[in-house]
Amino acid sequence: MSYTNFTLDMDADGIALVTWDMPGRSMNVFTEEAMRELNAIVDRVAGDAAIKGAVITSGKDSFSGGADITMLQKMLATFAVEKEKDLEKATKALFDNAGYMTGLFRKIETCGKPWVSAINGTCMGGAFEMSLACRVAADSDKVKMALPEVKIGIFPGAGGTQRVPRLTDQQQALQMLTSGQNLTPQKAKSMGLIHEIAEPKKLVETAKAMIKNGLKPVAPWDEKGFKLPGGPIYSAAGANLWPPAIAILRRETFGNYPAAAAILKCVYEGLLVPFDTGLRIEQRYFTEIMQTKEAAAMIRSLFVSLQELNKGARRPTGVPDSKFKKIGILGAGFMGAGIAYVTARAGIPVVLLDRDMESAEKGKAHSDSLISDQVKKSRAKPEEKDRLLSLITPTADYADLAGCDLVVEAVFEDSGVKKLATEKAEAALKSSAIFASNTSTIPITSLAKNSARPKNFIGIHFFSPVDKMMLVEIILGKKTGDKALAVAIDFVRAIKKTPIVVNDTRGFYVNRCVLRYMSEAYKMLIEGVPAAMIENAAKAAGMPVGPLALTDETAIDLAQKIMKQTIKDLGEKAVDPKQMALINTMVDTHGRFGRKNGKGFYDYPAKPAKKKLWPGLKDLYPQLKPEKVDYEELKERLLVTIALEAVRVMEEGIVTDPREADVGSILAFGFAPFTGGALSYIDGIGAKRFVKIAKGLQKKYGAEFKTPKLLLDMAEKGETFYQRFDPYQKGEVKKAA
């Protein structure tokens, strides 16, 4: 019998080698077809007396990415239609579909023949759950294993919550399952999750030897007298683990992530019963979680949309792929040096230019510091450091930019300085080269006036610190051509960042939303809301960092400069005078600039002491008593003000694809990931109900909560953003008029 996704070869010892190699895919994933084929292979192995056991491995560089998430989306789409006809029947169908993979892996485990999973490269999600149903061998070079489902709103629902805590102690199991952390083979072996670590060339040989040496065809939990590695739930160890585990989960998630809570329930309840009953419990919780709006939103934004954008969903068609031979970076300050680092890390030669060699060398030293830290933490090898640094050429001579395919300007945020840098660079560049500005405040269309070839001029806005922030805004000027956009997207993808395409406006997309978040916090302070309540409300709402802490990170004096520039450009009414007075008091009266000078809304004592809110904040305005503050309303205000700004950006045509608005809001400033992003937050609530909430807030707190006409129209028509701005119905990149 032949298979599409697998091959099966027998050796002289009666061991079957099952090689997983899906045609037309860069990585193996579990599709319905792949699971049916594997099911047939298990039957063949079990039914052939000549076969002593089986080794499953991959024919690709990586083992598998796990389940095809679009398969889950189809299941949810079917459920959404069928539940309107018969909820009970639809739920039963979802339950049965969710359990197919569980049954397949249990079949492998109980087929009467030993199976070994020989893992080469990445092994994620369902693929690792399958491996846990086998015995496991892995090579040590590039393997990383994980059950990362919680990161997209679901959890390991094919036996992961039952096998992991039966192979390792419950504390390590909970940490792995609720964080989705990557494991090295060494870490996985120390936890008892894998059994052998082999040299890459001897991986299959090692796996076969495990079978030849008498590997039992019975899982540990199916043997009589099996005991949990960490002891039973009802034990001294269990009593010390579970109460704090529940409290820690609450502290870390604020109850916003149903899947994380379901993991604890699956493990706790599953370890009290026989293994097959535990699998049934897991299947019930998985069916429940699959029906949550958090799962639907997170799967869409943090998996499907993210993958689509990373693959260049917004890239113009018909433009050849870019092959970067040389990239120029103008400005070796913190941002420019960071861009140089990620470019060299991607294996692309970089010319790092500044006003003098000393400054340029200092910029290269930043890369030395970053990669040295990676080597120290064993995340990079010494030879990788040498190679990276060899790719960065510091210079003060614009002539060295000759031959660059792309130049990224990251000089001081001053139009005059940028004009000079643009003219000098273009004089040295070939006519086909693309010029990009990393500006965060100056419109790209105005900067493009300094260029002799505005079609080749584009914005590429990085976020700080460049090496850690995964989002990049690509900004189109009015004359930016398709080639410039394609090259910019290709560059962002080459350095393994996520690109979103934004039309030109003050603050672009991300900064407009972030400034609303900060502004609302300033208003709260002025109202007398205790600072601790503001920060805690933000975290409880799902934000990773409170708005006051975020202001400190970006610098309060920068906020002051932005406000003053806004007043200069747009007039006095463009900035709330009370907020301007607050920021002036912080900067001019108290000299509090933020983290950079060790004092802002927070005080920053020497390590290891932690930062704490500045006690002087309570003296700036009369304080409301905490019991007089509506805490839930604080949470609502902070999310709604951001979401409304995202709507305005869509209404103005600055962002035209809801995927970019959602993914951008999460990756750039951590907008409550459980919502799926700023627009999915509104879709999850429903436009009609959201408008009612916004109108109530506008009545109490002012014009920033005024509902845009776009959203009023959507509420009237009962539309969602993914219906109104269907990203799959347009093939071209739209620019604002």
Side-chain angles (χ1 to χ4, degrees), residues 22 24 69 87 118 226-227 269 342 452 461 477 532 585 588 653 661 686:
M22 300 181 79
I69 299 298
L87 178 59
F226 169 72
K227 293 184 185 301
E269 296 174 27
V342 296
H461 180 211
T585 298
D588 300 334

Side-chain angles (χ1 to χ4, degrees), residues 613-634:
L613 281 162
W614 175 44
L617 287 175
K618 66 180 182 296
D619 300 322
L620 297 180
Y621 303 97
Q623 297 288 284
L624 294 172
K625 291 182 179 180
E627 61 269 22
K628 296 290 185 183
V629 178
D630 186 336
Y631 189 67
E632 291 302 312
E633 189 177 71
L634 293 183

